[in-house]
């Protein structure tokens, strides 16, 4: 015989109503967030628990529902009648006689809504509740019945009651059905579990203690660390007062329902723990940089940057080159215009993104090569695999799926990102200086040439000599012509060198702009979906841990 125990052992008491609701809500949030990435069976069980918590706590009244469960012939119906003080349940020794649950209610507080929720139709009102006010005792069908409907009904009600009273007898106390299918499965519910060894009057002297000790050993093997065994006999009345005292303990504090529901929430949340892992690795800067680089190649950024550099050099030469040969470059097509990216037309109003989409639709950048598309797919897969490392399979697959954007939509978004990006910059100040100097040198050359022509015509026509100014051994017209031509060519060479430097700087600036725009597309289509899945995993795990009563 085990010592007296009050059905609420250990240091952990029942949860308050608010804490129970908060944990159930946290579990519901985890289920909603985790959705199909959680184990379906564990998630279904957890959803039932959440619904049960809300339904049970919504019922008004301080009743405590205690179920008498046992095998055929264990005498649980006789025990039920003895406790109720009336022959309410039908008694049978060998064949199962209880096919539907029967309830006995102690106290005047209405229990109709509670019994309706339990789907218990047969009800008996105990006239004198005594110290068991608020007790609802339910006699269940035999859980080892040959009728499957009886077994299922017993299981159904056991899912809803507050306190388990397992009734066994000296012959079936070691029955595998009791221990393997029920006690071991419900081992987390020790605080609301009571084991009754019935029919002790059939044992010889000392037999009760021996069987109770062996039964205790079996219960501990089942994992039921918190338990007690009460010996009873409906014939002699032995142990009935002790059993009533245990039931009084359960009813007195009116917290058995919260004990049971709290254990339900913890058990359901514990089953979901395998569906989540530790925090995901996230998207590393290196992986993101690889993705942006692959997307840039796919979007034709190198082609655009090269066109920007060539366009800058051509415009520089057009503005600062030798005036006598500038017109030749007008016949060369502008690189950005060939790609339909030249939106900076002098004198035109500002062109908005909507205008670009409506008029241009797409650029003329060559489509990505298969190798470029494969590089994007590989970079996205690397992000998915690295970010989901260490997560359970369903979550890892969700992360990998989130990292795979649609190829068609992605190509359009990359092209629009290039179209939206400004490919121009401020005109260098040296352009104006060199252009003015070129004009002055060209004018000097023209003046010198005209002066020399006039001198030659005057001599040929034997006109009066045109006056000139000599500078050393050279005449001024000659110096103007040669100096203007040589100076213009030298200035053009210097401008060409400066244009190369400026083109590289402009290309680097535009490359950063384009990669920033491409990076935004990559973030929106790959990184953010992956991050969202990881955040949902973290919220799911936090909800499960909150349901378990853990703090992080």
């Amino acid at each position: 015989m085990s010592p007296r125990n009050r059905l609420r052992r250990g240091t952990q008491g029942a949860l308050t109503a608010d804490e129970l609701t908060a944990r159930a809500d946290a579990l519901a949030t985890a289920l909603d967030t985790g959705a199909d990435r959680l184990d379906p069976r564990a998630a279904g069980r957890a959803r039932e628990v959440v619904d049960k918590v809300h339904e049970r706590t919504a019922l008004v009244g301080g009743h405590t529902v205690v179920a008498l469960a046992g095998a055929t012939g264990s005498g649980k119906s006789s025990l039920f009648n003895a406790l109720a003080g009336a022959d309410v349940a039908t008694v049978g020794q060998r064949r199962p006689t209880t096919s539907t649950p029967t309830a006995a209610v102690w106290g005047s507080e209405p229990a109709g809504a509670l019994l309706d929720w339990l789907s218990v139709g047969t009800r008996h009102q105990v006239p004198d509740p005594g110290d068991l006010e608020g007790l609802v005792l339910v006699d269940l069908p035999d859980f080892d019945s040959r009728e499957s409907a009886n077994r299922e009904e017993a299981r159904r009600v056991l899912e809803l009651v507050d306190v388990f009273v397992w009734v066994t007898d000296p012959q079936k106390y070691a029955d595998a059905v009791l221990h393997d299918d029920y006690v071991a499965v419900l081992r987390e519910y020790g605080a609301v579990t009571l084991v009754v060894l019935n029919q002790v009057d059939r044992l010889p002297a000392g037999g009760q203690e021996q069987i109770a000790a062996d039964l205790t050993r079996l219960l501990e093997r089942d994992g039921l660390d918190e338990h007690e065994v009460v010996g009873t006999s409906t014939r002699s009345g032995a142990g009935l007062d002790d059993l009533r005292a245990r039931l009084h303990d359960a009813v007195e504090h009116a917290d058995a329902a919260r004990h049971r529901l709290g254990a339900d929430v913890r058990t359901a949340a514990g089953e979901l723990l395998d569906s989540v892992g530790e925090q995901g690795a996230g998207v590393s800067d290196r992986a993101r940089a690889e993705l942006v680089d692959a997307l840039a190649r796919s979007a034709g950024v190198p082609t655009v940057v090269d066109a920007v550099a060539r366009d800058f050099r051509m415009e520089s030469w057009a503005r600062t080159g030798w005036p006598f040969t500038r017109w030749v470059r007008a016949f060369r097509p502008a690189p950005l215009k060939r790609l339909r990216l030249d939106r900076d037309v002098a004198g035109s109003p500002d062109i908005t993104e909507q205008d670009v989409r409506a008029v241009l639709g797409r650029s003329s950048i060559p489509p990505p090569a298969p190798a470029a598309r494969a590089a994007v797919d590989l970079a996205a897969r690397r992000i998915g695999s690295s970010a989901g490392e260490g997560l359970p399979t369903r979550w890892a697959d969700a992360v990998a799926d989130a990292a795979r954007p649609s190829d068609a939509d992605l190509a359009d978004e990359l092209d629009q990102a290039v179209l939206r990006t400004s490919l121009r910059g401020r005109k260098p100040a040296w352009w104006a200086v060199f252009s003015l100097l070129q004009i002055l040198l060209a004018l000097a050359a023209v003046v010198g040439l005209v002066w020399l022509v006039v001198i030659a015509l005057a001599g040929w026509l034997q006109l009066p000599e045109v006056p000139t100014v000599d500078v050393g051994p050279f005449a001024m017209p000659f110096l103007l012509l040669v100096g203007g031509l040589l100076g213009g060519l030298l200035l053009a060479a210097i401008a060409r060198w400066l244009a190369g430097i400026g083109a590289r700087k402009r290309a680097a600036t535009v490359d950063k702009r384009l990669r920033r725009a491409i990076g935004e597309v990559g973030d929106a289509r790959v990184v953010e979906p992956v991050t969202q899945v990881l955040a949902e995993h973290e919220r799911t795990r936090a909800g499960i841990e909150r349901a378990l009563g853990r703090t992080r």
Side-chain angles (χ1 to χ4, degrees):
M1 180 78 68
S2 64
R4 173 71 181 271
N5 209 316
R6 293 185 174 272
L7 284 178
R8 282 175 294 278
R9 287 168 289 279
T11 59
Q12 185 178 16
L15 300 177
T16 64
D18 292 340
E19 176 65 11
L20 177 62
T21 302
R23 292 193 185 187
D25 290 343
L27 185 58
T29 300
L31 291 170
D32 293 338
T33 306
D36 58 354
R37 291 158 294 194
L38 300 173
D39 178 70
R41 294 184 62 183
R45 162 67 179 164
R47 183 68 66 183
E48 292 175 357
V49 168
V50 171
D51 293 341
K52 183 173 76 169
V53 170
H54 291 155
E55 292 170 0
R56 181 69 174 90
T57 55
L59 294 172
V60 178
H63 294 97
T64 300
V65 182
V66 179
L68 294 180
T72 302
S74 61
K76 61 180 178 58
S77 295
S78 299
L79 190 61
F80 177 85
N81 291 337
L83 292 172
D87 292 335
V88 181
T90 304
V91 178
Q93 290 295 326
R94 295 185 178 181
R95 296 181 60 188
T97 56
T98 306
S99 59
T100 58
T102 302
V105 181
W106 278 256
S108 59
E109 186 177 13
L114 176 61
L115 293 174
D116 289 342
W117 178 67
L118 293 169
S119 297
V120 176
T122 305
R123 307 168 186 182
H124 171 72
Q125 185 71 40
V126 178
D128 183 14
D131 59 355
L132 296 180
E133 177 82 27
L135 173 64
V136 176
L137 187 65
V138 181
D139 181 27
L140 298 182
D142 302 332
F143 55 60
D144 64 346
S145 173
R146 289 176 294 179
E147 299 292 335
S148 60
N150 293 358
R151 297 194 302 270
E152 291 301 320
E153 182 67 3
R155 287 181 180 272
R156 183 190 67 80
V157 179
L158 282 172
E159 288 289 332
L160 304 177
V161 300
D162 304 328
V163 177
F164 308 107
V165 177
W166 304 110
V167 181
T168 186
D169 62 87
Q171 290 183 333
K172 291 189 176 182
Y173 74 91
D175 185 63
V177 175
L178 170 64
H179 291 279
D180 297 341
D181 295 349
Y182 290 93
V183 177
V185 173
L186 298 173
R187 59 182 175 274
E188 299 296 331
Y189 298 83
V192 289
T193 298
L194 182 65
V195 179
V196 172
L197 179 61
N198 198 23
Q199 302 175 7
V200 295
D201 57 296
R202 299 166 58 186
L203 296 173
Q208 178 178 342
E209 288 75 12
Q210 182 179 355
I211 291 181
D214 193 38
L215 178 57
T216 297
R217 178 186 61 81
L218 294 174
L219 295 174
E220 292 175 351
R221 185 204 62 182
D222 295 336
L224 193 66
D225 296 329
E226 299 179 352
H227 67 273
E228 66 178 306
V229 177
V230 178
T232 61
S233 171
T234 56
R235 290 184 178 181
S236 66
L240 292 182
D241 291 340
D242 197 13
L243 178 58
R244 289 191 181 93
R246 303 300 198 278
L247 296 178
H248 169 70
D249 290 342
V251 173
E252 182 182 20
H253 294 83
D255 60 358
R258 286 182 278 116
H259 266 290
R260 165 67 198 270
L261 294 174
D264 281 338
V265 171
R266 287 193 300 272
T267 301
E271 292 175 354
L272 286 174
L273 271 181
D274 291 337
S275 296
V276 294
E278 297 298 329
Q279 186 174 1
V283 180
S284 64
D285 293 339
R286 180 178 178 181
R288 183 184 180 278
E290 290 179 357
L291 176 66
V292 172
D293 187 63
L295 289 173
R297 292 197 302 273
S298 178
V301 168
T303 301
V304 176
V305 170
D306 181 67
V308 167
R310 288 188 288 114
D311 192 83
F312 183 88
R313 287 193 294 268
M314 289 184 65
E315 189 173 0
S316 296
W317 298 337
R319 292 176 180 272
T320 63
W322 203 34
F324 303 109
T325 57
R326 288 183 188 179
W327 60 274
V328 178
R329 303 187 186 279
F331 295 101
R332 297 182 180 178
L336 290 180
K337 286 184 178 180
R338 294 181 63 183
L339 298 177
R340 300 177 69 183
L341 296 174
D342 188 7
R343 295 182 288 150
D344 189 13
V345 182
S348 66
D350 291 338
I351 300 176
T352 64
E353 175 187 340
Q354 290 74 17
D355 297 330
V356 175
R357 289 177 181 271
V359 178
L360 295 182
R362 285 185 62 91
S363 68
S364 295
I365 301 173
R373 291 195 297 267
V376 172
D377 184 66
L378 180 60
R381 287 178 180 272
R382 285 178 177 173
I383 285 181
S385 60
S386 62
E389 186 176 0
L391 297 181
T393 302
R394 289 185 177 87
W395 284 103
D397 290 344
V399 172
D401 291 340
R404 297 192 188 109
S406 171
D407 291 340
D409 296 340
L410 181 61
D412 288 338
E413 290 192 27
L414 291 175
D415 195 72
Q416 294 301 325
V418 174
L419 285 174
R420 291 193 300 266
T421 303
S422 173
L423 305 180
R424 298 290 184 178
R426 292 187 302 175
K427 295 178 174 59
W430 63 270
W431 280 5
V433 176
F434 274 54
S435 179
L436 178 61
L437 292 176
Q438 286 285 25
I439 292 173
L440 294 176
L441 290 172
L443 288 175
V446 170
V447 169
L449 177 62
V450 171
W451 198 344
L452 289 174
V453 170
V454 170
I455 292 175
L457 287 175
W460 183 65
L461 296 174
Q462 296 182 353
L463 296 176
E465 184 177 344
V466 178
T468 62
V469 178
D470 295 332
V471 179
F474 302 104
M476 179 60 70
F478 176 78
L479 291 176
L480 288 175
L481 175 60
V482 175
L485 293 176
L486 293 178
L489 291 173
L490 178 61
L491 194 63
I494 296 174
R496 193 180 189 91
W497 175 70
L498 292 176
I501 297 175
R504 288 191 292 273
K505 290 183 178 180
R506 177 65 59 82
T509 301
V510 171
D511 183 70
K512 290 181 180 179
R513 293 177 186 171
L514 289 172
R515 288 180 178 274
R516 188 181 304 115
I518 295 298
E520 292 175 356
V521 174
D523 288 342
R525 297 304 303 274
V526 178
V527 177
E528 290 179 4
V530 168
T531 304
Q532 181 179 355
V533 174
L534 294 177
E536 290 173 353
H537 171 267
E538 186 60 20
R539 290 199 299 273
T540 301
R541 182 174 182 82
I544 293 173
E545 291 187 343
R546 178 67 181 90
L548 288 169
R550 301 176 183 174
T551 57
R552 302 187 68 182

